[in-house]
Amino acid sequence: MIDWLNQRLTSHRRSWRRQAWAWLLSLLLVLPAWAAPVTLNLKDADINALVESMSVLTGKNFIVDPRVKGRVTIISSKSMDEKELYEVFLAVLGVHGFAAIPGDKVIKIVPAAGAKQENVPTVDQQRRIEPDQIVTRVIQVQNVSAAQIVPILRPLIPPQGHLAAYTPTNVLIISDSAANVERIASIISRIDLASNEEVEIVALRHASATEIVRVLTALEQGKTRADPAAGAGSPLRMVADERTNSILLSGDKTSRVRLRTLITHLDTPVDAGGNTQVVYLRYAKAKDLMTVLQGVSKSLSNDAARNAPIPGQPGAPPGGSSSSSSSGGSLVDIQADESTNALVITAPPELIRSLRSVIAQLDVRRAQVLVEAVIAEISAEKTAELGVQWVAAGNSVIGFTNLGTETTSLANIIGLAAQADSGDLTALSAARIPQGMQMAAGDFSGNNRFGALISALAKDADTNVLSTPTVVTMDNEEAEIVVGQNVPFVTGSYTSSTSSGSSGNTNALANPFQTIQRDDVGIKLKVKPQINEGNAVKLEIEQEVSSVVPSANAATQGPTTNKRSIKTIVMVEDGQVLVLGGLIDDKLDESAQKVPLLGDVPLLGNLFRYRSTTKLKRNLMVFLHPVILRDPTQGTLHTSDKYSYIRQQQLMARENADYLLPNVQSPVLKPQQEVKEQRTILDLSPPVPPEPAPPKSAPPPAAEPADIGFNNR
């Protein structure tokens, strides 16, 4: 029967359509005999005929994609049951680039390239399925990264297969034939193993763990560069634990043994005289840090002496001698080299390690503080004076009123007029000329003379002063800025006299002198910041604003100064504006001078009165604005703002200036970009030469003069 079936399939190449019904009828006749094993041999048979035969033999329904075409050859030497026949059928489809996609009632036969996009079954490890069946499997990776396995497994997947990693859950998704998927799963199980690296702790007795790790790391890096195959095994890692002075080793056993041997050779004691190391400081001051370390070394030496083992007990050094730690106090010597800002430490190794740990924690970059003080003062002064003064003189009677201040009195005006009339104009000084309006009338030519002086004054003075001194200083360092003048103040004078003759008459003065003290007058800001944990800043502030008041008696009694000062300690947050203090002053002065009785007469009494009113209102406030500059970036940001502001003011001043000298301009700061590129603020570029004058017509050459003098022979 099988030979007959093979013959029918072979002849199907030419007469398939004509003999289809006859062939199917013959199959129906022999169906009872197919329950037994079947030997299948085909040669150059149409694949569609094979699909039809498998449908009859296995009882499965197939849907064939139109792209499924080709001829197959099957050679079998033994009989196969229904299951084996279907496995051979799937293998034939896989060899020719096709795949069977099982469904609920039918099986779709499509090209293998698009099979992974169909509804292929998703299987797990327990489910058994035909080896050539296209399946999808999700494999959980436990110990390694799924993304790292994908490049390793990619060459093992055919082009029509699919392999991807889902990182959040660390799984692999594979879509391929069941046999290949099972092979990939077996490979993953051998790769997905827990690391067998061990971690060893090597305790050091004499050397520093940090230094040993630094030396061995440099050695291993150089070895890897020289021989890339040396790092092909498990990666070797070394970490120093400064607290216990130990080294943690991780890697393969061979590398750990080799490094442990090197560590043992390096961990050797130094001579009994101690060890000397030079520690260069980056931020701290060596002289200041030396005092702290000397106190710390004494404490460490005492602790080492108390914890030293007693001779004869376990752990004591051989020979019964005490350890170097017990006498560490006498072996510790710390010196500061200010020229290189370094510390020279001589001490036992264990004490040096402790001191270096203290230095590392103290030698840190300290923050800086930008302190801006704002002094705002607004004052308004209003003054009004009004009065009448008169004088009358007859042959024997004189009457007058002399009211007002020194410069606005009638006597002062008459005196100035008399001196000016005599030709002495020096009396008309600014100190004696009255302010305000003065109107005089009278007649002093006859015997009966009279005169009247009407004084009126209205004065408004407004003052608005805003000063913002700014200073930058380091944490816990005092800074001071002074902007003002150095004004001399006379503190004393001395005059000596000489006498001649027995009577002791004074003839002359000899060697007169004055003692002068100079003080700064202007704006002063002295500040000492202390940055606490967080962003709070403690500030010790001394703020002073002083100015010289011009007065008439400055030549004899010295200048008079106005002074406003604050001295306080405050706590401010970073970037906060805090008021330090201030003054709100409202002052009203009224004065009236009059002749008794006559000055009280209504209306007429104004001729015998002199009134003045002065109102002064002053508002003064001092504010503080600190900013912590913890890194160079913040310092550059604030500096850039101030730099740009000053440069902009200079450019505006240059535009509005009018210079008499040619080719002269006011100085201007360079742009910040040029400062970064040229690394200097100074403008070192050569001056721009003046433009050459336009050429003029050359004059006719003059006749050469004859040689005269010594050259005339």
Side-chain angles (χ1 to χ4, degrees):
M1 181 195 65
I2 298 303
D3 295 338
W4 173 82
L5 179 60
N6 293 335
Q7 182 179 4
R8 297 291 295 177
L9 291 175
T10 304
S11 61
H12 185 271
R13 180 187 310 171
R14 297 179 180 177
S15 59
W16 180 80
R17 293 184 178 180
R18 296 193 303 267
Q19 300 177 358
W21 290 103
W23 178 72
L24 290 176
L25 181 61
S26 62
L27 285 176
L28 292 176
L29 295 175
V30 297
L31 274 177
W34 285 354
V38 178
T39 301
L40 185 62
N41 288 286
L42 300 176
K43 183 177 181 182
D44 202 16
D46 187 79
I47 193 170
N48 290 280
L50 177 61
V51 173
E52 294 178 2
S53 300
M54 287 297 106
S55 177
V56 173
L57 294 174
T58 61
K60 300 180 183 294
N61 300 322
F62 297 97
I63 297 178
V64 183
D65 190 282
R67 293 171 293 179
V68 177
K69 297 178 181 180
R71 301 189 177 278
V72 299
T73 300
I74 302 175
I75 301 174
S76 176
S77 61
K78 64 178 182 177
S79 59
M80 297 175 288
D81 56 13
E82 180 181 340
K83 182 179 180 182
E84 292 175 342
L85 283 174
Y86 188 68
E87 291 181 357
V88 170
F89 174 66
L90 294 178
V92 171
L93 293 179
V95 169
H96 289 79
F98 305 112
I101 310 300
D104 294 337
K105 297 181 180 180
V106 297
I107 299 175
K108 294 186 292 184
I109 301 178
V110 297
K116 58 186 178 182
Q117 300 173 356
E118 298 290 340
N119 187 21
V120 298
T122 301
V123 299
D124 53 15
Q125 186 176 3
Q126 288 76 20
R127 182 177 176 182
R128 308 301 300 175
I129 201 167
E130 290 81 1
D132 294 298
Q133 176 66 53
I134 300 297
V135 297
T136 300
R137 184 172 175 180
V138 180
I139 301 176
Q140 179 69 50
V141 183
Q142 301 291 341
N143 301 296
V144 297
S145 175
Q148 295 179 353
I149 302 180
V150 170
I152 301 175
L153 302 178
R154 180 72 69 184
L156 304 179
I157 303 296
Q160 64 270 17
H162 176 72
L163 174 63
Y166 184 61
T167 307
T169 57
N170 200 39
V171 297
L172 287 173
I173 302 174
I174 307 175
S175 182
D176 200 6
S177 64
N180 195 34
V181 169
E182 186 64 27
R183 181 173 70 100
I184 297 298
S186 176
I187 296 174
I188 293 174
S189 64
R190 298 187 181 186
I191 297 176
D192 187 21
L193 299 176
S195 176
N196 59 355
E197 296 182 1
E198 297 181 2
V199 178
E200 294 187 21
I201 300 177
V202 182
L204 303 182
R205 298 184 57 189
H206 307 285
S208 171
T210 305
E211 292 297 323
I212 295 295
V213 169
R214 182 183 62 82
V215 173
L216 295 180
T217 302
L219 178 64
E220 291 299 317
Q221 290 178 350
K223 181 179 179 181
T224 304
R225 287 193 295 267
D227 184 9
S234 178
L236 183 64
R237 295 184 294 272
M238 295 173 289
V239 179
D241 182 18
E242 298 183 1
R243 187 180 65 85
T244 60
N245 196 37
S246 304
I247 299 177
L248 281 71
L249 297 178
S250 174
D252 59 273
K253 185 176 181 180
T254 304
S255 299
R256 295 200 310 269
V257 171
R258 177 173 56 85
L259 288 179
R260 194 166 59 247
T261 303
L262 292 175
I263 293 173
T264 304
H265 286 291
L266 294 176
D267 186 26
T268 56
V270 295
D271 54 351
N275 187 20
T276 301
Q277 292 189 12
V278 179
V279 181
Y280 293 95
L281 304 181
R282 299 180 60 187
Y283 306 105
K285 191 176 181 180
K287 188 176 181 180
D288 297 339
L289 199 57
M290 179 185 66
T291 306
V292 178
L293 294 179
Q294 288 176 348
V296 173
S297 63
K298 291 180 182 179
S299 177
L300 294 175
S301 300
N302 295 334
D303 293 341
R306 286 193 298 267
N307 298 330
I310 301 175
Q313 292 185 353
S321 61
S322 61
S323 64
S324 61
S325 300
S326 61
S327 60
S330 59
L331 297 178
V332 177
D333 180 53
I334 303 175
Q335 300 294 331
D337 184 18
E338 298 185 20
S339 59
T340 59
N341 195 36
L343 293 171
V344 182
I345 304 176
T346 302
E350 58 271 16
L351 291 183
I352 286 184
R353 289 194 298 268
S354 300
L355 292 177
R356 290 184 69 95
S357 177
V358 174
I359 293 172
Q361 299 180 54
L362 294 178
D363 187 26
V364 295
R365 182 185 179 90
R366 296 161 60 188
Q368 301 181 103
V369 180
L370 169 67
V371 180
E372 294 178 321
V374 180
I375 303 102
E377 180 178 0
I378 301 175
S379 62
E381 181 181 1
K382 295 182 180 298
T383 303
E385 297 181 6
L386 179 61
V388 178
Q389 305 173 59
W390 57 269
V391 60
N395 293 328
S396 60
V397 179
I398 298 177
F400 65 91
T401 59
N402 187 31
L403 306 175
T405 60
E406 180 181 355
T407 58
T408 59
S409 64
L410 179 62
N412 178 62
I413 298 299
I414 295 175
L416 291 177
Q419 293 184 18
D421 185 60
S422 64
D424 185 8
L425 299 180
T426 58
L428 302 177
S429 61
R432 300 187 61 186
I433 296 177
Q435 298 180 353
M437 184 188 73
Q438 303 287 337
M439 184 174 65
D443 182 13
F444 294 92
S445 60
N447 294 329
N448 297 322
R449 293 168 292 176
F450 71 94
L453 177 65
I454 301 175
S455 300
L457 172 64
K459 176 183 178 183
D460 291 340
D462 294 331
T463 303
N464 188 350
V465 179
L466 180 65
S467 303
T468 56
T470 304
V471 64
V472 178
T473 181
M474 194 171 291
D475 182 23
N476 270 325
E477 296 292 340
E478 186 180 272
E480 181 180 6
I481 182 173
V482 178
V483 180
Q485 296 177 334
N486 194 260
V487 180
F489 292 87
V490 178
T491 58
S493 61
Y494 177 77
T495 303
S496 62
S497 61
T498 58
S499 60
S500 61
S502 59
S503 61
N505 296 328
T506 301
N507 296 327
L509 298 178
N511 301 325
F513 67 91
Q514 293 179 333
T515 57
I516 296 176
Q517 178 181 352
R518 292 184 174 271
D519 292 334
D520 293 330
V521 176
I523 299 175
K524 300 179 184 178
L525 175 62
K526 183 183 294 186
V527 58
K528 183 178 181 181
Q530 177 183 342
I531 303 176
N532 298 326
E533 186 67 23
N535 292 327
V537 184
K538 178 183 176 183
L539 292 170
E540 298 180 12
I541 294 288
E542 291 186 24
Q543 173 68 53
E544 178 181 325
V545 178
S546 57
S547 60
V548 177
V549 179
S551 59
N553 55 2
T556 58
Q557 300 179 3
T560 303
T561 59
N562 292 328
K563 184 176 180 181
R564 301 164 181 83
S565 63
I566 292 179
K567 182 177 181 181
T568 182
I569 300 176
V570 295
M571 183 74 70
V572 194
E573 293 293 326
D574 179 23
Q576 178 187 0
V577 178
L578 181 68
V579 59
L580 294 183
L583 171 67
I584 299 178
D585 188 12
D586 199 347
K587 182 179 179 182
L588 178 63
D589 293 333
E590 291 186 358
S591 64
Q593 301 178 20
K594 63 181 179 179
V595 178
L597 299 178
L598 295 178
D600 297 330
V601 177
L603 297 179
L604 187 61
N606 292 326
L607 300 177
F608 302 93
R609 279 201 303 250
Y610 190 92
R611 295 172 298 173
S612 64
T613 301
T614 302
K615 181 178 178 59
L616 176 63
K617 187 172 183 179
R618 179 172 52 189
N619 295 324
L620 173 64
M621 289 292 171
V622 179
F623 300 91
L624 191 69
H625 179 227
V627 178
I628 301 177
L629 308 178
R630 297 189 181 275
D631 50 46
T633 303
Q634 293 180 332
T636 303
L637 178 63
H638 287 275
T639 303
S640 178
D641 293 341
K642 305 293 184 183
Y643 191 93
S644 300
Y645 172 77
I646 291 297
R647 173 176 165 79
Q648 186 65 27
Q649 295 297 319
Q650 290 180 338
L651 292 175
M652 293 174 59
R654 172 178 287 187
E655 292 178 358
N656 300 329
D658 186 11
Y659 303 101
L660 296 178
L661 296 177
N663 301 324
V664 172
Q665 287 184 333
S666 60
V668 177
L669 293 174
K670 294 197 302 184
Q672 297 187 48
Q673 186 62 31
E674 294 185 7
V675 174
K676 294 179 181 179
E677 296 175 354
Q678 302 176 5
R679 305 181 67 85
T680 178
I681 299 180
L682 300 178
D683 191 1
L684 302 179
S685 58
V688 179
E691 297 182 359
K696 299 180 180 179
S697 57
E704 296 182 358
D707 293 337
I708 57 174
F710 295 101
N711 294 329
N712 188 10
R713 300 297 182 187

